[in-house]
Amino acid sequence: MTEPLIEFKDVTKSFDGNVVLDGINLKIYEGEVTTIIGLSGAGKSVLLKHIIGLLTADSGTIYYRGTPVSQMTRQEIKDALAKMSYMFQSNALFDSLTVYENIALPLQEKTNLGKDEIHRKVMARIEQAELAAEIDKFPSELSGGMQKRAALARALVTDPQIVLFDEPTTGQDPVRKNAILGMIAQYQRKFGFTAILVSHEIPDVYFISNRVLALYDKKIVFQGTPEELENFDHPFNDEVISSLEAFQKELTGLYSLRQFKMLNSAQLKRKKSHEPYSIVVFTLEDVNSITAHLGHDAVHEAIRRMCLYVDKHFGILGGLSTRFNTSEIVTMLPHSDITETRSILDEFVKDFKGQGISDLRNWTGVRRLVAMSGSVTFTIAAGIAEGQAVTKVETVIGAARENKKAIWTATMSRQGVNI
Amino acid sequence: MNTGITGENKMENKEWSAPFFRPFNAVGRVVIEWVDHLGAATIFLLAALWKSFRARQFAKVVSQLYYIGARSTAIILLISLFTGMVLGLQSYHALAKFGAQGAVGILVALSLIRELGPVLTAIMVTARAGSAITAEIGIQRISEQIDALQTMRIDPLKHVISPRISAAIISFPILATFFNLVGIIGGYISSVLLLGLNPGIYFNSIQANVEMKDITDGLIKTIVFAVIVATVCCYQGYYAHQRKDSHGAKAVGMATTSAVVISCVLILVADYVVTSFLM
């Protein structure tokens, strides 16, 4: 078994007699994205602050790479903290410094890099956070969303090995929320850092998380994969997950994966064993290339449009749709056979070509378009499969994936859009 | 041994005597709190001073010198001019009763150099820059900016506190010297230009009677005051989040008030103590 990077054993913390963490036990592994979920005020930020050393536990032990922090020398703790970075829930930007100065500060103070090298690194992060027009502004002159992105850029500018994100998407619009999660996932894959997130964005955050920790009633009640959490039988699932899932409709208007599973199972139980149902799988292809050319926002705007049109055409006929992963949407039509489903899909394609994508160029900022070299292709692929009430939904989804083919393509370049 | 008093009786006795001890308890608590703060502030000051000599501090100290020193100059000059003028006016009329108008210059100069220059400079800088320092650091504290520095391994004492204390120690003697010079000119305006005292007598009495010790004693006081003002104002802001009487923005406001009041009181107390040692 791999040794955890960080481990809590019976950690307790209280403020003025008010117990916030009560016997916390958890494990965080290196190179993974671990998300801590729980209701507001549950103590998630307090937990995170114990990891970065801003708070100390009243009792219990915190281990770093198997060694109790209390037994580490000052230098060892310093070295461990040097590898970490923390993005505050309140952003904690220095209000008397500009955006550029805020992001440059950790490099200026803690590295021996030259001015040019610092400028290059800072500008790279500023570009990624889409804050190039705001570099000379002070935090108070930025919107809440921009402040969040500036804080994200500052947290990542030192290329840390462990990054702690305290609600990185709070205050963002639905597209930007997913874009930030996408950015975290992309950086994590690229640089291989260990990410520890506190987030409410269920289920979107599941798509980027390797492990989920559930904080409930001052204790960690669950540690495992997002899939395992779906089957976790505990009041946490009813009280917390259900209430948080309501927010996910903001972006997609679709059901959560858990709701989708519950509803399709209920539908299939009502049908006779030989009655057919259909599954359609939609995918936005080559997401990495779109991200590289046009940024995360464009990807998530495309997915949002897809979801709206899927819901418009399939939802009206009783279709149950969910976002399966970042770029895949699955729709189940419990009362339609494959022929009917195909004709609905044709209507969907016609409508999408006509209106759904008409303002494709507006999804990206003018600056990105001007800077774009070459062209980028948006491709939506769809696959259809039919099953009978006795056939497992997962099997039909697999068959639909096999049948996938491109149903819509648009190529965007500086000159224009070619659909 | 049986004392004849059961545990319950002991408890009753304690409850009965509690109101009697309450004032002593309260005084004890306040004294312990003060001693606690005094110790913490001393360690805070020593740690910040030690960090003044680390790398990358020069630019920060210069920036604070501009804020604490240069930007306080105008108000210091204005106050010192009128202080000197009123001193000249009062002492001229008082000394005229004994026919000793010739001593106006020395009276104005010594009052300013030994007492008024250092004390009024310290109080004015407390009001102008000290309160702002407390408020700024307090806001940084409650908005987690200081925590953010810690997570970046940037020492807040070195980055935020140390430059301010260093700048105060450098700028206070300079500001006090300006105060003295302009105050002497103010005395000249009122006693010579307005009341007709001989200018030669005014300056000659100063030159003949002001000794180097008067100037160095005054400068020693300004350094002591600088340490007091900078430490109190920075300490109050830095620990604004730990105040028991208030939270958030109110805590910053209370910290700022406390900083100004404590600084002014300590300046006057220290003035007496330092003067008695230097005499």
Side-chain angles (χ1 to χ4, degrees):
Chain A
M1 184 79 187
T2 326
E3 182 184 67
L5 176 68
I6 294 158
E7 185 175 3
F8 279 41
K9 272 191 185 163
D10 299 321
V11 169
T12 303
K13 181 73 183 177
S14 55
F15 296 100
D16 298 327
N18 177 27
V19 179
V20 179
L21 305 176
D22 184 13
I24 293 285
N25 291 294
L26 63 83
K27 287 176 182 172
I28 290 163
Y29 294 96
E30 194 161 13
E32 287 190 344
V33 178
T34 304
T35 302
I36 303 165
I37 53 174
L39 289 174
S40 293
K44 303 185 292 297
S45 301
V46 171
L47 201 156
L48 222 52
K49 283 178 182 173
H50 278 81
I51 298 174
I52 195 85
L54 284 176
L55 292 174
T56 46
D58 294 342
S59 64
T61 315
I62 300 173
Y63 295 84
Y64 177 76
R65 294 189 189 282
T67 310
V69 174
S70 54
Q71 288 175 20
M72 287 166 72
T73 63
R74 233 173 153 179
Q75 190 56 44
E76 282 172 337
I77 294 174
K78 237 178 168 181
D79 291 344
L81 291 175
K83 292 171 187 153
M84 295 188 194
S85 181
Y86 188 90
M87 182 184 165
F88 283 79
Q89 188 178 355
S90 62
N91 305 322
L93 292 168
F94 305 112
D95 45 19
S96 54
L97 302 182
T98 62
V99 168
Y100 181 94
E101 289 164 344
N102 260 286
I103 299 170
L105 187 74
L107 296 176
Q108 287 166 343
E109 289 291 325
K110 297 312 290 183
T111 67
N112 293 318
L113 296 174
K115 222 175 174 182
D116 293 341
E117 180 65 4
I118 290 175
H119 181 72
R120 194 187 60 72
K121 279 181 169 256
V122 172
M123 287 314 293
R125 289 290 182 237
I126 283 176
E127 289 286 337
Q128 285 158 348
E130 301 185 18
L131 288 167
E134 273 73 39
I135 55 170
D136 293 325
K137 287 185 180 169
F138 290 94
S140 59
E141 297 173 301
L142 302 180
S143 69
M146 285 174 180
Q147 288 182 15
K148 209 75 178 168
R149 281 182 276 145
L152 181 66
R154 189 179 67 181
L156 297 175
V157 76
T158 50
D159 298 330
Q161 291 177 23
I162 304 163
V163 194
L164 289 79
F165 301 94
D166 194 351
E167 299 196 18
T169 54
T170 308
Q172 304 288 323
D173 60 68
V175 170
R176 204 59 68 96
K177 271 178 193 173
N178 280 271
I180 287 178
L181 291 177
M183 201 189 290
I184 291 171
Q186 187 202 13
Y187 288 167
Q188 198 274 334
R189 280 195 299 272
K190 193 171 168 186
F191 303 113
F193 59 70
T194 305
I196 306 165
L197 267 94
V198 162
S199 181
H200 288 136
E201 310 307 330
I202 293 173
D204 298 342
V205 77
Y206 291 168
F207 302 142
I208 67 162
S209 305
N210 301 99
R211 291 180 85 243
V212 176
L213 308 181
L215 184 61
Y216 179 76
D217 198 19
K218 300 161 194 168
K219 286 182 166 42
I220 292 289
V221 293
F222 173 85
Q223 297 187 62
T225 63
E227 294 76 31
E228 287 165 352
L229 182 62
E230 298 281 342
N231 304 317
F232 178 52
D233 185 20
H234 189 275
F236 177 83
N237 247 348
D238 303 321
E239 288 178 33
V240 183
I241 302 288
S242 306
S243 65
L244 295 177
E245 268 176 352
F247 294 112
Q248 79 98 31
K249 280 208 160 213
E250 280 178 309
L251 177 74
T252 63
L254 307 182
Y255 291 110
S256 71
L257 194 54
R258 197 174 68 93
Q259 290 164 332
F260 174 80
K261 282 179 179 170
M262 278 163 55
L263 289 169
N264 71 40
S265 141
Q267 290 282 357
L268 293 180
K269 273 180 194 161
R270 279 192 223 126
K271 290 167 82 78
K272 289 178 184 159
S273 60
H274 64 277
E275 280 184 325
Y277 71 91
S278 303
I279 292 281
V280 191
V281 174
F282 296 91
T283 317
L284 179 67
E285 303 281 309
D286 209 5
V287 167
N288 289 342
S289 163
I290 302 171
T291 307
H293 283 90
L294 300 172
H296 289 277
D297 288 15
V299 171
H300 290 283
E301 186 58 40
I303 288 166
R304 193 178 74 83
R305 299 290 176 111
M306 265 169 72
C307 293
L308 286 176
Y309 277 76
V310 165
D311 198 36
K312 178 180 166 188
H313 287 269
F314 295 88
I316 202 162
L317 295 168
L320 307 169
S321 303
T322 187
R323 193 173 167 198
F324 232 69
N325 59 44
T326 311
S327 58
E328 188 178 67
I329 297 158
V330 173
T331 299
M332 180 209 196
L333 287 155
H335 311 296
S336 307
D337 60 14
I338 197 161
T339 319
E340 193 184 355
T341 306
R342 197 162 282 136
S343 72
I344 304 167
L345 184 63
D346 290 343
E347 284 299 315
F348 165 85
V349 174
K350 254 189 236 166
D351 193 17
F352 197 70
K353 267 183 185 167
Q355 293 174 38
I357 215 83
S358 55
D359 56 348
L360 185 60
R361 279 176 73 85
N362 296 343
W363 296 357
T364 60
V366 174
R367 193 179 46 75
R368 274 197 181 273
L369 274 179
V370 171
M372 196 168 88
S373 60
S375 60
V376 59
T377 303
F378 287 77
T379 303
I380 296 177
I384 307 180
E386 186 183 278
Q388 291 182 331
V390 286
T391 324
K392 274 191 169 178
V393 173
E394 288 75 16
T395 314
V396 188
I397 292 173
R401 279 196 190 115
E402 298 280 315
N403 299 334
K404 230 169 31 176
K405 59 182 182 188
I407 56 166
W408 177 85
T409 303
T411 306
M412 189 195 280
S413 63
R414 252 193 289 185
Q415 285 71 38
V417 182
N418 186 16
I419 299 174
Chain B
M1 195 177 76
N2 187 0
T3 57
I5 303 171
T6 63
E8 208 169 295
N9 283 338
K10 271 183 190 169
M11 192 66 81
E12 274 171 15
N13 279 346
K14 212 175 173 185
E15 277 172 19
W16 173 82
S17 59
F20 177 75
F21 287 111
R22 209 166 284 151
F24 296 101
N25 288 342
V27 171
R29 259 199 306 275
V30 170
V31 171
I32 290 170
E33 214 167 90
W34 266 93
V35 172
D36 195 26
H37 280 301
L38 193 66
T42 309
I43 295 168
F44 180 82
L45 168 68
L46 294 177
L49 282 177
W50 174 248
K51 282 160 195 188
S52 303
F53 304 102
R54 303 270 177 88
R56 300 178 191 181
Q57 288 294 81
F58 183 71
K60 288 174 208 152
V61 174
V62 170
S63 152
Q64 288 303 320
L65 268 176
Y66 171 73
Y67 183 72
I68 298 171
R71 293 189 64 180
S72 301
T73 310
I75 189 72
I76 291 292
L77 296 184
L78 188 71
I79 297 292
S80 58
L81 181 71
F82 284 99
T83 307
M85 282 175 74
V86 81
L87 266 178
L89 190 65
Q90 289 277 18
S91 53
Y92 182 89
H93 286 297
L95 293 170
K97 288 178 184 171
F98 311 101
Q101 298 98 314
V104 168
I106 181 62
L107 200 146
V108 169
L110 284 182
S111 304
L112 286 168
I113 293 168
R114 284 184 182 171
E115 280 303 322
L116 294 176
V119 171
L120 287 179
T121 300
I123 289 175
M124 285 315 298
V125 178
T126 303
R128 204 207 70 84
S131 55
I133 287 172
T134 308
E136 189 184 345
I137 297 173
I139 289 169
Q140 287 182 352
R141 173 56 90 181
I142 63 160
S143 61
E144 295 185 308
Q145 292 174 46
I146 288 178
D147 288 343
L149 287 174
Q150 276 176 308
T151 64
M152 292 175 204
R153 288 182 307 124
I154 300 171
D155 185 349
L157 276 184
K158 183 186 160 197
H159 186 79
V160 180
I161 307 299
S162 191
R164 285 171 169 85
I165 293 180
S166 303
I169 292 172
I170 296 168
S171 58
F172 268 52
I174 298 170
L175 288 171
T177 306
F178 282 143
F179 192 105
N180 296 340
L181 287 173
V182 176
I184 290 169
I185 293 169
Y188 176 85
I189 291 170
S190 61
S191 60
V192 176
L193 298 183
L194 300 179
L195 297 170
L197 182 72
N198 186 306
I201 292 174
Y202 183 82
F203 282 117
N204 189 46
S205 68
I206 295 173
Q207 193 191 351
N209 294 295
V210 174
E211 293 172 11
M212 197 58 202
K213 187 179 182 305
D214 299 320
I215 296 169
T216 51
D217 285 359
L219 291 179
I220 289 169
K221 279 186 186 178
T222 61
I223 292 169
V224 173
F225 298 160
V227 171
I228 289 171
V229 171
T231 308
V232 169
C233 293
C234 290
Y235 181 83
Q236 287 290 333
Y238 197 78
Y239 292 106
H241 65 306
Q242 287 182 3
R243 291 186 75 89
K244 288 174 186 156
D245 54 357
S246 50
H247 296 279
K250 199 174 176 191
V252 177
M254 297 288 277
T256 309
T257 307
S258 299
V260 173
V261 172
I262 296 170
S263 294
C264 290
V265 170
L266 288 182
I267 286 166
L268 296 174
V269 172
D271 187 34
Y272 175 78
V273 174
V274 175
T275 306
S276 61
F277 273 106
L278 294 174
M279 278 294 184

